[in-house]
């Protein structure tokens, strides 16, 4: 059964000419192989946008200050886009990040600023809040089977209401000052070299962790399978419910981290910050080649998508164009990126069919 | 008479007031292919869902190796060696061959304190397993399942089931969506699996395919077992008539021949 001779005998039966073809050479390292890498599309988009703003933005855009300007935006967005991307690969959306962020800002500011608790307590409280809302999202999605779009839309508003209501009750205000002592300030919310936010380094760390989880650990396989086909994933023995809840908790945690980081960086917190992160994170993830319906995506793609978004958002200020046009560019970019990513995904799929032709 | 690997005795299944299956008794033996034949809506899908643990029978008994049992879940059935492969085989088109082969059972290796998904082992094992089934066009485990042909996906899914020690392999219309040559490939793989001692349950409404691989046949009509016979006991025409629920096929074929004659064409046999 397993010997080569019997294999050859059974193989030859229907059409020896086609099936006996020698193994095709590995196309991994070739240009064709690169073109079929799923994140190539988002890398090309990033390069095009960077070239565009380098040309129109000139030396200012290419200076350290120019880089800092978009890297700072990219880092905060990127820390949130990574877990949002994982969720999208698993077939879920999380809109509630938009109010977890200000809720966490207010938590650290109220606990440590207003009431003077040690900054560690404030930080832990704000992160715990993010984890708790994430757990609530995940548990509701798993238990009720209501689409996560609706569940997280509900928590988005509920958290916004609680944040506003409790802030007014506790502080009588919608904005609270916070002066974080060292080393918390220097580690979490400060500028390196006067320009670069420390969040850039946290982002790099998050990329390393999520890259490991998605592409090098078994959990990544579970996430891809969950997004590809939840029923088969469950039948294959993947703890689908726990995995879903864990992913929502990760996005809650990351949104809370950015909220807390902003409060420490700006020395104050507002109840209304963060709404822009909802759509921006989705744009970054989708531009990065993640399939909106789940089952497909890469960390490299999400990083490229985040950088592309940040460059367009900030680069416009270096060009002399009216900044209002940035949104139009982002809209066009989103559509172009999705079309291009579809093309590259199809090319990646067609790879196996090639020797047939 | 050996003990059947899987045995259903007088199984009934109803969903609320609707009876879907009544009085089904089947015996499935290692190293044999049981063909489940039936027209659309005859209850084939419900029956395989009972065999694979998705549904529990309303009444009746399921035995495995002579011992009564009830599957708690598809997972439970899978752990006892019952593998189901659906019409489109790989259900994760955007995952690589190596990754989808090991979903839920990923090989890992230690790197310092971390357990890393062993892509190399996964890819090599998966590629070796499908090549063993004669699919030599697959040589790179990093390729996406979606890039494979329908027959190759079936082969991959069957290879996966065999690799993870399936005792009973349930194939739900594996050839329905395939071309002639691809279907022949899959039929050959089914024979190969049977030869290695696996019990195969082959669901189809293609009588020719069934006769090619089957040792034992059961025909379902409107949720009941209309016939149960062994290879060689009935002709293709008899089976076709049975599946269609009686003698209507002969009439229908005669009618079609009438049309063909009227149109001046040579009459052709209807499959």
């Amino acid at each position: 059964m397993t010997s080569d001779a019997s294999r050859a005998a059974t193989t030859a039966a229907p059409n020896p000419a086609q099936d006996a073809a020698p193994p095709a050479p590995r196309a991994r390292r070739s240009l064709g192989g690169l073109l079929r890498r799923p994140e190539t599309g988002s890398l090309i988009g990033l390069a095009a946008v960077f070239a565009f703003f380098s040309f129109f933005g000139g030396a200012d855009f290419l200076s350290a200050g120019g880089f800092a300007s978009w890297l700072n935006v990219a880092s905060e967005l990127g820390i949130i886009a990574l877990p949002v991307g994982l969720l999208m690969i698993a077939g879920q959306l999380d809109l509630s990040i938009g109010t977890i962020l200000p809720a966490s800002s207010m938590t650290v500011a109220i606990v440590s600023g207003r009431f003077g608790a040690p900054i560690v307590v404030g930080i832990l409280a704000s992160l715990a809040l993010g984890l708790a809302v994430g757990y609530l999202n995940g548990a509701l999605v798993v238990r009720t089977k209501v689409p996560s779009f609706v569940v997280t839309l509900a928590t988005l508003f509920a958290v916004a209401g609680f944040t506003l209501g409790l802030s007014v009750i506790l502080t009588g205000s919608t904005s609270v000052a916070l002066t974080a002592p060292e080393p918390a300030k220097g580690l979490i919310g400060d500028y390196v070299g006067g320009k670069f936010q420390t969040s850039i380094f946290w982002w790099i760390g998050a990329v390393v962790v999520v890259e490991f989880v998605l592409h090098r650990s078994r959990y990544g396989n579970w996430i891809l399978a969950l997004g590809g086909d939840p029923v088969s994933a469950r039948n294959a023995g993947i703890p689908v419910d726990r995995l879903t809840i864990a992913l929502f908790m990760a996005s809650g945690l990351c949104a809370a981290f950015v909220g807390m980081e902003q409060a420490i960086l700006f020395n104050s917190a507002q109840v209304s910050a963060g709404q822009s992160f909802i759509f921006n994170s989705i744009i970054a993830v989708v531009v990065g080649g993640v399939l909106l319906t789940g089952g497909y995506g890469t960390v490299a793609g999400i990083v490229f998508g985040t950088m592309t978004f940040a460059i367009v958002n900030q680069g416009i200020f270096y060009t002399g164009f009216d900044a209002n046009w940035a949104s139009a560019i982002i809209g066009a970019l989103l559509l172009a990126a999705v079309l291009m990513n579809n093309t590259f995904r199809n090319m990646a799929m067609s790879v196996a069919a090639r020797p047939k032709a | 008479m050996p003990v059947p690997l899987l045995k259903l005795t007088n199984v009934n299944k109803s969903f609320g007031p609707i009876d879907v299956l009544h009085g089904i008794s089947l015996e499935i033996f290692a190293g044999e292919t049981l063909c489940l034949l039936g027209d659309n809506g005859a209850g084939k899908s419900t029956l395989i869902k009972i065999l694979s643990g998705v549904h529990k029978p309303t009444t009746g008994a399921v035995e495995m190796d002579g011992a009564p049992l009830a599957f708690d879940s598809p997972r439970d059935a899978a752990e006892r060696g019952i593998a189901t492969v659906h019409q489109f085989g790989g259900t994760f088109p955007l995952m690589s061959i190596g990754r989808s082969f090991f979903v839920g059972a990923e090989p890992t290796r230690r790197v310092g304190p971390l357990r890393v998904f062993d892509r190399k082992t996964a890819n090599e094992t998966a590629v070796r397993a499908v090549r063993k089934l004669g699919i030599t066009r697959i040589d790179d485990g990093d390729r996406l399942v979606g890039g494979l042909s329908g027959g190759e996906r079936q082969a991959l899914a069957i290879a996966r089931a065999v690799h993870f020690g399936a005792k009973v392999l349930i194939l739900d219309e594996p050839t329905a969506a395939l071309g002639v040559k691809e279907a022949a490939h899959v039929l050959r793989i089914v024979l190969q699996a049977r030869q290695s001692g696996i019990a195969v349950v082959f669901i189809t409404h293609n009588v020719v395919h069934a006769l090619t691989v089957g040792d034992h046949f059961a025909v379902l009509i409107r949720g009941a077992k209309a016939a149960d016979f062994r290879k060689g006991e009935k002709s293709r025409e008899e089976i076709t008539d049975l599946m269609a629920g009686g003698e209507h096929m002969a009439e229908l074929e005669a009618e079609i021949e009438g049309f063909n004659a009227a149109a001046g064409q040579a009459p052709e046999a209807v499959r």
Side-chain angles (χ1 to χ4, degrees):
Chain A
M1 198 74 234
T2 59
S3 80
D4 282 345
S6 74
R7 185 207 300 171
T10 49
T11 310
N15 186 344
Q18 202 170 70
D19 291 289
R26 304 227 157 187
R28 282 289 104 182
R29 303 269 171 267
S30 69
L31 182 68
L34 179 72
L35 278 177
R36 287 178 175 87
R37 299 277 299 170
E39 54 275 21
T40 308
S42 43
L43 181 59
I44 291 172
L46 174 62
V49 162
F50 188 79
F52 178 87
F53 284 102
S54 300
F55 182 76
F56 287 103
D60 279 350
F61 177 73
L62 292 172
S63 70
F67 270 85
S69 145
W70 64 263
L71 275 174
N72 290 344
V73 169
S75 65
E76 289 185 350
L77 178 60
I79 290 170
I80 295 178
L82 285 166
V84 167
L86 289 186
L87 266 175
M88 200 182 281
I89 294 170
Q92 308 285 2
L93 285 171
D94 188 355
L95 309 180
S96 67
I97 51 153
T99 53
I100 292 177
L101 193 146
S104 140
S105 274
M106 291 304 287
T107 303
V108 67
I110 291 171
V111 170
S112 298
R114 182 78 177 191
F115 294 121
I119 189 72
V120 181
V121 177
I123 290 170
L124 291 179
S126 67
L127 297 181
L129 174 98
L131 286 171
V133 178
Y135 179 84
L136 182 69
N137 283 333
L140 283 173
V141 167
V142 166
R143 293 271 164 75
T144 63
K145 316 273 184 219
V146 172
S148 54
F149 181 91
V150 176
V151 167
T152 58
L153 189 63
T155 47
L156 173 78
F157 276 81
V159 170
F162 272 103
T163 308
L164 192 56
L166 286 175
S167 300
V168 170
I169 291 173
L170 291 172
T171 69
S173 161
T174 55
S175 116
V176 176
L178 168 71
T179 313
E182 294 295 345
K185 173 87 179 160
L187 284 175
I188 294 171
D190 208 346
Y191 292 98
V192 177
K195 295 187 187 72
F196 295 94
Q197 287 182 18
T198 39
S199 55
I200 294 170
F201 301 97
W202 287 96
W203 181 36
I204 294 169
V207 169
V208 171
V209 170
V210 176
E211 161 74 24
F212 177 81
V213 168
L214 185 61
H215 298 302
R216 318 234 177 258
S217 81
R218 60 203 312 237
Y219 306 112
N221 221 29
W222 295 4
I223 294 169
L224 288 163
L226 176 58
D229 183 348
V231 175
S232 297
R234 189 186 294 269
N235 289 349
I238 294 169
V240 168
D241 292 352
R242 271 192 298 154
L243 182 63
T244 306
I245 292 175
L247 289 172
F248 275 106
M249 289 176 75
S251 78
L253 177 70
C254 288
F257 179 87
V258 173
M260 181 268 293
E261 177 263 336
Q262 286 187 341
I264 292 176
L265 182 75
F266 301 137
N267 300 319
S268 81
Q270 271 91 34
V271 286
S272 58
Q275 297 278 355
S276 65
F277 279 86
I278 304 169
F279 284 123
N280 295 356
S281 65
I282 294 174
I283 292 170
V285 167
V286 171
V287 168
V290 175
L291 193 59
L292 192 62
T293 47
Y296 194 74
T298 61
V299 170
I302 297 171
V303 171
F304 296 152
T306 306
M307 290 165 92
T308 307
F309 179 90
I311 288 174
V312 175
N313 214 35
Q314 297 303 110
I316 197 88
F317 295 113
Y318 292 85
T319 58
F321 306 151
D322 186 342
N324 296 331
W325 291 102
S327 294
I329 298 178
I330 286 170
L333 192 73
L334 179 64
L335 206 57
V338 170
L339 292 173
M340 190 157 71
N341 289 334
N342 284 348
T343 308
F344 276 95
R345 198 160 44 236
N346 288 337
M347 282 169 81
M349 290 229 282
S350 71
V351 102
R354 209 170 26 133
K356 208 175 192 175
Chain B
M1 196 72 183
V3 181
L5 196 51
L6 205 56
K7 183 177 178 185
L8 301 188
T9 313
N10 212 9
V11 162
N12 293 287
K13 177 71 190 174
S14 37
F15 296 103
I18 303 157
D19 282 337
V20 183
L21 292 175
H22 23 102
I24 305 283
S25 297
L26 282 178
E27 291 184 336
I28 298 162
F29 294 95
E32 274 197 14
T33 304
L34 166 70
C35 285
L36 269 182
L37 297 154
D39 213 346
N40 293 341
K44 291 177 305 211
S45 305
T46 309
L47 184 54
I48 61 169
K49 279 179 180 162
I50 286 174
L51 291 175
S52 60
V54 177
H55 295 321
K56 288 192 178 69
T58 311
T59 60
V62 181
E63 285 172 36
M64 193 166 188
D65 290 323
L69 74 114
F71 299 126
D72 294 329
S73 63
R75 171 107 181 108
D76 184 28
E79 271 167 9
R80 293 168 193 267
I82 296 177
T84 313
V85 175
H86 295 285
Q87 191 175 337
F88 298 102
T91 47
F92 307 114
L94 291 166
M95 285 176 82
S96 74
I97 290 167
R99 280 180 173 271
S100 70
F101 195 86
F102 282 100
V103 158
E106 293 81 3
T108 53
R109 62 192 159 83
R110 283 203 165 275
V111 177
L114 302 169
R115 281 158 63 87
V116 179
F117 173 69
D118 192 342
R119 193 177 115 241
K120 195 158 161 273
T121 304
N123 286 355
E124 283 174 4
T125 313
V127 169
R128 210 181 312 124
V130 260
R131 290 178 76 94
K132 208 189 274 181
L133 294 181
I135 305 292
T136 49
R137 222 161 60 77
I138 295 178
D139 57 6
D140 182 356
D142 278 328
R143 287 181 177 174
L144 300 185
V145 173
L148 304 179
S149 72
E152 287 165 345
R153 284 198 219 183
Q154 287 288 334
L156 181 65
I158 294 171
R160 181 177 198 272
V162 172
H163 179 83
F164 287 103
K167 290 191 232 162
V168 180
L169 183 58
I170 301 173
L171 302 169
D172 186 6
E173 309 235 1
T175 56
L178 302 183
V180 178
K181 182 171 154 278
E182 289 245 285
H185 270 277
V186 171
L187 295 177
R188 193 199 67 225
I189 291 168
V190 171
L191 290 172
Q192 230 175 310
R194 183 194 65 168
Q195 227 168 44
S196 67
I198 294 173
V200 179
V201 180
F202 187 89
I203 291 94
T204 185
H205 50 234
N206 186 318
V207 180
V208 177
H209 291 170
L211 284 170
T212 310
V213 296
D215 298 298
H216 182 190
F217 302 82
V219 180
L220 290 184
I221 297 175
R222 288 188 291 279
K225 196 169 76 175
D228 189 336
F229 50 93
R230 300 201 57 88
K231 194 181 179 95
E233 288 177 3
K234 279 194 175 21
S235 71
R236 185 168 76 78
E237 288 72 20
E238 285 175 297
I239 302 171
T240 311
D241 287 347
L242 266 170
M243 279 171 67
E247 303 303 313
H248 308 301
M249 275 315 277
E251 279 173 39
L252 191 57
E253 284 183 24
E255 242 178 83
I256 293 169
E257 273 181 37
F259 276 113
N260 282 338
Q265 291 171 350
E268 275 180 49
V270 175
R271 252 184 205 177

